[in-house]
């Protein structure tokens, strides 16, 4: 299974936007060959529609940060969820989401790095088992540790 670096940047962006807004990120895992963030529904529901849309736009903000653009087709799922919530065009939230990921650049880069190594590790471990399309990349504790560590770094 090829490591999808762009998809990793996308998930790191979702995670950073969620963490910034105080939304609980449960884990980031690979399911069906794609990285996927599990965000606590409860903690997301406490946020305003605008904030939830910013978390959803965080994915393309992560891509834009590293690549200068984003995969429009792949962002359709996020756009659909925004529309379901009564939100606007995803690009409307991209500006704010991009500000957030840039502000937490240290965390974003560290997440990307650890997601890549998690993928390489998970893939080599999973190749011994039959179900090699799904494995965890980062747990809630690991994500919190990266988030807190990078915030501490910023204050020094
Ligand atoms: Zn997404």
């Amino acid at each position: 299974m090829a490591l999808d670096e762009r998809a990793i940047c996308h998930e790191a962006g979702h995670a950073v936007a969620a963490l910034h807004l105080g939304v609980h990120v449960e884990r980031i895992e690979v399911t069906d060959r794609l990285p996927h963030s599990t965000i606590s529904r409860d903690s997301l529901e406490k946020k305003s529609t605008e904030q939830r849309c910013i978390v959803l736009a965080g994915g393309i903000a992560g891509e834009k940060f590293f690549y200068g653009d984003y995969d429009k087709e792949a962002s359709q799922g996020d756009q659909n969820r925004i529309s379901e919530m009564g939100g606007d065009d995803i690009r409307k939230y991209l500006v704010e989401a991009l500000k957030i990921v840039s502000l937490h650049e240290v965390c974003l880069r560290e997440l990307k790095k650890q997601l890549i190594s998690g993928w390489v590790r998970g893939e080599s471990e999973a190749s011994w088992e039959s179900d090699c399309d799904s494995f965890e990349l980062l747990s809630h504790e690991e994500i919190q540790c990266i988030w807190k560590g990078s915030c501490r770094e910023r204050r020094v």
Side-chain angles (χ1 to χ4, degrees), residues 14 58 92 140:
H14 276 309
K92 195 192 143 195
H140 172 70

Side-chain angles (χ1 to χ4, degrees), residues 10-11 14 56 59-60 74 78:
H10 181 103
E11 287 314 311
H14 276 309
L56 285 162
I60 61 170
D78 291 327

Side-chain angles (χ1 to χ4, degrees), residues 7 10-11 14 35-37 55-60 63 74-79 81 90:
H10 181 103
E11 287 314 311
H14 276 309
H36 178 80
S37 324
V55 173
L56 285 162
I60 61 170
E63 287 184 57
S75 73
Q76 195 54 48
D78 291 327
Q79 174 64 70
R81 288 177 64 191
I90 193 165

Side-chain angles (χ1 to χ4, degrees), residues 25-90:
V25 183
E26 284 171 8
R27 76 183 76 87
I28 303 176
E29 60 195 338
V30 170
T31 45
D32 297 325
R33 297 168 188 268
L34 276 175
H36 178 80
S37 324
T38 305
I39 286 169
S40 152
R41 198 169 281 270
D42 280 359
S43 82
L44 200 57
E45 272 164 9
K46 290 189 193 109
K47 304 295 166 187
S48 67
T49 304
E50 174 91 12
Q51 287 175 319
R52 283 190 270 172
C53 292
I54 290 167
V55 173
L56 285 162
I60 61 170
E63 287 184 57
K64 202 163 167 62
F65 182 87
F66 287 107
Y67 296 94
D69 62 5
Y70 63 94
D71 187 334
K72 288 181 184 65
E73 225 170 284
S75 73
Q76 195 54 48
D78 291 327
Q79 174 64 70
N80 292 346
R81 288 177 64 191
I82 288 174
S83 304
E84 278 164 26
M85 291 187 300
D88 234 308
D89 190 303
I90 193 165

Side-chain angles (χ1 to χ4, degrees), residues 4 18 23 27 29 59 67-68 84-85 100 112 114 155:
D4 190 338
V23 174
R27 76 183 76 87
E29 60 195 338
Y67 296 94
E84 278 164 26
M85 291 187 300
I100 293 170
K112 180 189 173 189
Q114 296 209 23
R155 278 198 292 270

Side-chain angles (χ1 to χ4, degrees), residues 106-136:
V106 176
C107 180
L108 185 72
R109 289 188 185 279
E110 188 60 24
L111 275 173
K112 180 189 173 189
K113 201 173 93 188
Q114 296 209 23
L115 286 170
I116 289 173
S117 56
W119 190 313
V120 172
R121 194 177 51 238
E123 204 177 26
S124 67
E125 284 166 9
S127 66
W128 298 96
E129 296 157 26
S130 52
D131 178 25
C132 59
D133 289 347
S134 308
F135 48 84
E136 186 171 86

